[in-house]
Amino acid sequence: MPHAAAPPVILGNEPGSFPHSVLAERHPAIIRQVREAFPYGPGLHRGLDALQAACTDGVIDPLPADAHDRDRWRVWGLDEHTGSSWFDVPWLWSESYFYRRLLEAVGYFGPGPWQGIDPFRPFKLAELEAPETDEELAALDALEGRPVEEQAHALLHGSLWGNRADLGFRLSDAEAEQRAAVPGLVADDSERFWELLPQAGADSGTDFGFGTGFDSGIGTVCLVADNAGRELVPDLLLAAHLLEHRRCGRVVLHVKPYPYYVSDATTADVVDAVRKLSGARGAAAEHGRRLWRAMADGTLTVRAHPFSAAPLPYARMPDDLRAEFAAATLTIVKGDLNYRRLVGDSRWAPTTPFADVTAYFPGPVAALRTLKSDVITGLDAGTEAALVAAEGQRWRTGGTHALIQVRR
């Protein structure tokens, strides 16, 4: 467990707070978007209506008795929270359970004709095919001739700022895309990030993705992905760079086991992103082909552990996942939700050391995150004071600031 004593977990029952707005406004908006995206029949419409009524004015109901994961959710706290208002249980738990019940409402778990149909897929594909994505891929051509260190810096920051491409965030904040990102990071451990990985190999690029398989001599990087589409593409490009330049021997990409938080990445989204790269022009296409071969030979592995969609902090991860992260050279945790799970979804004092709240983590860990919720740790007092003086508390949730934090 973290060395620092955690404040109480965040609830959604404070009117005017960011968590309250997510439960009261974002979730109903998501239900409406999903309802309009597919020609669901009357039975599924009734299920969506019932979910909207329950999550705004009702209480938490249990899963159906025959739900495949009912016992798992009981371990995760379902019995404790059944009958409570959605606003009076931990915000992280309430959000996660909302997405589980949304999938139930649209027949995702079946049996039936809608089994396995991702209700968020139209939004994900539209973003992947957007002109902005093509522009970002075209920019890779200019990066090809640059020094390796410059490429590494650009791809790390591409992965970091790609976290702004969050469909759920933008559904509840229509102006998020138009707000300019602030170039300076509120915390920047990027030098420490690179120090944890072997130096770039002298024979960079000669073997990557051509059937050589996992090189155990230079270790594994676990990359805990967040969003699909325009965020997942730069995550994959960062993974490609680490493999090509022998900063690791294998990348294990952790994704969600089912659609989650609107845009969170699943295995299908990984395949879509690699296909997007492979079908592009110039350098992007070669990266896509290499990633495809890396998946085939095991140097890039996709993992969809059930705990990736758990409503719990990583401090409560199961033993098998703990062993995976312990064996990794570095675990990279992407995005706002994963950050909340990494440090604990509590209102920490912003100056609480990141190393203290992640002391429980079984190996070196790096967080790449744009700020879209209240939780924050690891700031120095001067940085916090300057942010508050300039923006009040808006800097925490606007998606305009970012951080790279590392605990060895």
Side-chain angles (χ1 to χ4, degrees), residues 93-303:
W93 198 97
S94 186
E95 280 194 289
S96 298
Y97 194 59
F98 166 78
Y99 287 100
R100 173 59 184 83
R101 293 311 302 254
L102 180 60
L103 294 183
E104 191 80 39
V106 298
Y108 180 85
F109 295 110
W114 295 100
Q115 184 176 21
I117 302 298
D118 183 347
F120 310 126
R121 184 167 173 78
F123 316 131
K124 295 174 179 177
L125 290 179
E127 184 184 80
L128 199 58
E129 298 303 324
E132 294 85 353
T133 305
D134 293 329
E135 292 168 6
E136 290 162 2
L137 294 183
L140 291 170
D141 292 345
L143 195 60
E144 283 296 287
R146 309 304 301 170
V148 172
E149 294 78 9
E150 187 175 327
Q151 293 181 36
H153 175 86
L155 292 170
L156 178 63
H157 281 255
S159 178
L160 168 66
W161 285 110
N163 185 230
R164 297 190 83 207
D166 180 333
L167 292 168
F169 177 61
R170 299 207 306 266
L171 277 174
S172 62
D173 186 349
E175 299 178 356
E177 191 95 49
Q178 284 69 51
R179 285 197 298 270
V182 177
L185 303 185
V186 300
D188 186 3
D189 291 341
S190 52
E191 288 189 14
R192 193 176 302 172
F193 177 96
W194 293 113
E195 288 171 359
L196 287 171
L197 299 171
Q199 293 298 309
D203 58 345
S204 298
T206 57
D207 291 330
F208 167 52
F210 289 91
T212 56
F214 172 39
D215 183 348
S216 61
I218 49 176
T220 294
V221 167
C222 290
L223 201 169
V224 182
D226 190 32
N227 295 312
R230 282 171 58 200
E231 178 177 353
L232 185 58
V233 166
D235 290 347
L236 288 167
L237 292 171
L238 177 61
H241 180 87
L242 297 178
L243 290 167
E244 181 178 3
H245 296 283
R246 299 180 62 78
R247 305 302 296 260
C248 63
R250 180 176 63 172
V251 172
V252 180
L253 184 66
H254 286 257
V255 298
K256 301 300 188 294
Y258 49 72
Y260 192 62
Y261 276 73
V262 183
S263 57
D264 279 28
T266 64
T267 301
D269 298 320
V270 175
V271 175
D272 285 341
V274 176
R275 282 182 172 148
K276 175 67 177 179
L277 284 164
S278 301
R281 298 179 179 179
E286 183 56 31
H287 285 304
R289 288 189 288 269
R290 287 174 170 175
L291 285 163
W292 194 278
R293 290 192 292 266
M295 292 178 73
D297 71 26
T299 48
L300 174 59
T301 303
V302 179
R303 181 91 158 94

Side-chain angles (χ1 to χ4, degrees), residues 43-77:
L44 298 189
H45 282 167
R46 286 192 293 272
L48 290 170
D49 291 342
L51 177 62
Q52 179 158 337
C55 68
T56 53
D57 300 311
V59 298
I60 293 167
D61 293 322
L63 290 173
D66 60 350
H68 73 284
D69 54 352
R70 184 170 178 265
D71 289 343
R72 181 180 297 146
W73 274 92
R74 292 184 70 184
V75 171
W76 290 346

Side-chain angles (χ1 to χ4, degrees), residues 1-7 189 192 196 313-317 322 325-326 330-345 348-349 351-369 375-378 403-408:
M1 294 297 294
H3 288 172
D189 291 341
R192 193 176 302 172
L196 287 171
Y314 272 102
R316 294 179 59 181
M317 74 181 85
R322 181 177 296 275
F325 292 150
L330 175 64
T331 297
I332 303 170
V333 175
K334 280 295 309 292
D336 196 80
L337 170 63
N338 286 326
Y339 187 88
R340 290 163 56 194
R341 297 186 69 197
L342 178 65
V343 304
D345 201 30
W348 297 97
T351 54
T352 306
F354 177 74
D356 285 0
V357 297
T358 57
Y360 72 90
F361 203 83
V365 62
L368 308 184
R369 175 214 183 190
V375 177
I376 184 72
T377 68
L403 60 78
I404 299 172
Q405 292 176 322
V406 174
R407 197 225 69 208
R408 297 177 186 270

